[in-house]
Amino acid sequence: MYQLYDGTLKLSGCKRMLWHRLPIHEDKIQILTEKERNFPFAPPSTTTSQETIINMSAYCMENFQNEKRAECRNKLLRSLQKDGFALITGTGLSVTACNNALRATDMFFNEADEKVRRSCLAKDRARRGYSPLNSENFASLVGNVAPNDLVRKFRVGAVEEKFGQSPLHRPNTWPSCEHWDEEKASFFQKSIQDFYADIGRASNAVVHAIREGLSNIESLNEENLQVLSMDENISHTSILTLLGYKKGARHQGKMKRSLVAPHTDVGVITILLFDAGDCAVLQRANNGQSISRPEKNWIDVNLPNLSTLSDPVLVVNIGDCLSEISGGTLPSTLHRVQPLPGDVPRNCLAFFVGLAPEAELMLPNRCAPMSYEEWRKERIEKASL
């Protein structure tokens, strides 16, 4: 055991009891709370300063003023136009709901037995249920060749009374009491379902703000933007993906390989929340730098520690569909996940916003409209060529 300058206690070596096979958790051996841990000579954060975080309360709360909305959407659009990424707060999500969902994610990936996770295997792992390590390859989304993703995933979607014929709609699968402790299984399902509902409402407000911002750009056709008029009652294909990263083989050596290779997201927008795990970092491509030196062309995407906040901060990034709807006004930026030297697993909640399968897209530079389902199929097929 050793300690960091801020007072955090760290474990190295075997992190399971030898005979009982129970995990030893670093968070349970700490003497100082997270708020008490600090190092006075630590460099200030530059990626999470208050100036860079956009307050979305004008769109996410019932009481609002038009001038506040204009200020909010202008700030959001400027950030998204520049980087394809933005940090937001004021979404109406509670710290408790976020903590519960992250705790449930940690329980599922780092405490539960593998048989619990494999009880959630589904026929279509790209849309529902558990996806093990090294079973997916996001590099293929941009037509590249790279090692499979070193991350475990669990996906849930909207709860529909009727599932149509579209492959974008699938029933959810959950760990059962047969494989997992009843209390843990119940907490996991409720926490994730509650977060799905909350983040869905927040995402609708974010898309609403983006649509209103784009409608003020003269070069864009208002008709093209109508598909973004999302409502809570409209069937959509948004997927919440739980992601679990832990220290592994790709953390070794001088030339550390990506845990998830550079890629873009396919849908409308992605909203992301992650904990303070220190074994991985999200990075986005710096569009302002030359691609001739890729090792210098990536910027870490960090979030303030959730335990220090009264209002969660989330990452928003643009997907390929919205980038095409906007005629490239909003870039769908390459991003990746890289290993860090820490030992604490990182847990993430990524909400990939989609549209109804039959939603009609009027896209610039296209002669005829097409459905969202047709567009997705074409987009993925192009990447495989």
Side-chain angles (χ1 to χ4, degrees):
M1 184 170 69
Y2 61 98
Q3 59 181 293
L4 304 181
Y5 283 111
D6 67 354
T8 302
L9 298 181
K10 305 288 291 182
L11 296 172
S12 63
C14 180
K15 294 184 181 180
R16 283 183 176 269
M17 298 181 72
L18 295 179
W19 291 104
H20 297 282
R21 306 302 299 165
L22 295 174
I24 303 172
H25 297 287
E26 287 185 347
D27 59 339
K28 295 181 179 179
I29 66 168
Q30 301 301 322
I31 295 175
L32 300 176
T33 66
E34 287 191 79
K35 290 184 179 180
E36 293 173 319
R37 290 176 233 161
N38 65 81
F39 180 52
F41 304 109
S45 170
T46 57
T47 57
T48 57
S49 64
Q50 289 300 313
E51 290 75 20
T52 66
I53 299 174
I54 300 159
N55 191 321
M56 295 297 303
S57 58
Y59 277 89
C60 296
M61 307 300 180
E62 291 185 1
N63 298 324
F64 65 89
Q65 298 173 322
N66 286 331
E67 59 269 23
K68 291 291 185 181
R69 282 198 164 187
E71 180 184 357
C72 169
R73 65 175 174 260
N74 290 339
K75 287 182 178 179
L76 179 63
L77 213 63
R78 280 197 299 270
S79 180
L80 294 174
Q81 282 180 290
K82 178 177 178 288
D83 300 319
F85 272 71
L87 298 184
I88 63 171
T89 189
T91 58
L93 273 75
S94 72
V95 170
T96 299
C98 293
N99 274 326
N100 285 345
L102 287 170
R103 173 61 184 142
T105 302
D106 185 61
M107 287 168 54
F108 182 76
F109 287 131
N110 301 308
E111 296 181 16
D113 192 86
E114 181 67 13
K115 68 180 181 182
V116 173
R117 293 184 285 274
R118 289 192 172 271
S119 71
C120 302
L121 290 171
K123 290 183 178 179
D124 189 353
R125 289 186 297 198
R127 296 185 178 92
R128 297 294 187 271
Y130 176 56
S131 184
L133 285 171
N134 288 310
S135 61
E136 297 185 21
N137 193 307
F138 269 23
S140 64
L141 293 176
V142 290
N144 289 339
V145 177
N148 284 354
D149 304 334
L150 199 67
V151 57
R152 293 173 293 180
K153 305 176 186 179
F154 178 86
R155 294 180 171 95
V156 296
V159 178
E160 302 277 356
E161 291 185 4
K162 278 189 173 182
F163 292 94
Q165 298 301 313
S166 170
L168 298 180
H169 279 153
R170 289 285 185 269
N172 290 318
T173 177
W174 300 97
S176 68
C177 300
E178 179 183 348
H179 299 94
W180 207 10
D181 176 82
E182 181 177 358
E183 183 177 347
K184 292 179 179 179
S186 175
F187 174 78
F188 176 78
Q189 182 170 343
K190 184 179 187 309
S191 298
I192 299 306
Q193 285 178 327
D194 288 349
F195 185 81
Y196 184 98
D198 291 345
I199 197 69
R201 285 189 288 270
S203 70
N204 286 347
V206 174
V207 172
H208 185 188
I210 293 173
R211 183 182 65 81
E212 289 192 347
L214 290 173
S215 67
N216 293 325
I217 299 177
E218 292 183 2
S219 60
L220 294 180
N221 189 333
E222 178 67 25
E223 187 179 13
N224 296 355
L225 304 178
Q226 287 304 311
V227 72
L228 299 178
S229 301
M230 298 176 65
D231 185 270
E232 291 180 1
N233 298 320
I234 296 177
S235 171
H236 58 76
T237 54
S238 300
I239 293 175
L240 174 62
T241 302
L242 284 55
L243 302 119
Y245 300 93
K246 63 179 182 178
K247 193 170 183 177
R250 293 186 201 172
H251 288 73
Q252 310 301 318
K254 294 182 180 180
M255 299 298 291
K256 298 179 176 63
R257 295 185 297 175
S258 296
L259 304 180
V260 177
H263 66 281
T264 58
D265 295 339
V266 174
V268 180
I269 62 172
T270 303
I271 301 183
L272 182 70
L273 173 70
F274 45 81
D275 63 15
D278 60 4
C279 71
V281 62
L282 172 67
Q283 296 180 330
R284 64 169 176 84
N286 182 6
N287 294 328
Q289 291 184 354
S290 170
I291 61 173
S292 61
R293 297 184 66 191
E295 73 279 4
K296 300 293 186 182
N297 202 41
W298 296 95
I299 295 176
D300 291 355
V301 179
N302 297 315
L303 290 177
N305 195 313
L306 190 59
S307 66
T308 66
L309 303 176
S310 58
D311 194 354
V313 177
L314 308 169
V315 179
V316 175
N317 69 274
I318 300 298
D320 297 334
C321 183
L322 181 52
S323 184
E324 190 166 344
I325 288 172
S326 70
T329 299
L330 302 179
S332 180
T333 303
L334 277 172
H335 51 282
R336 66 182 185 178
V337 179
Q338 288 294 104
L340 288 179
D343 295 317
V344 181
R346 167 160 287 194
N347 302 293
C348 306
L349 301 163
F351 190 71
F352 297 92
V353 177
L355 301 171
E358 67 278 4
E360 189 175 84
L361 303 182
M362 303 288 294
L363 301 171
N365 305 319
R366 298 223 183 201
C367 299
M370 64 192 312
S371 72
Y372 177 67
E373 186 171 354
E374 290 171 335
W375 178 88
R376 272 185 60 95
K377 183 178 179 181
E378 180 185 285
R379 163 66 181 81
I380 293 171
E381 286 177 348
K382 280 183 179 178
S384 64
L385 295 178

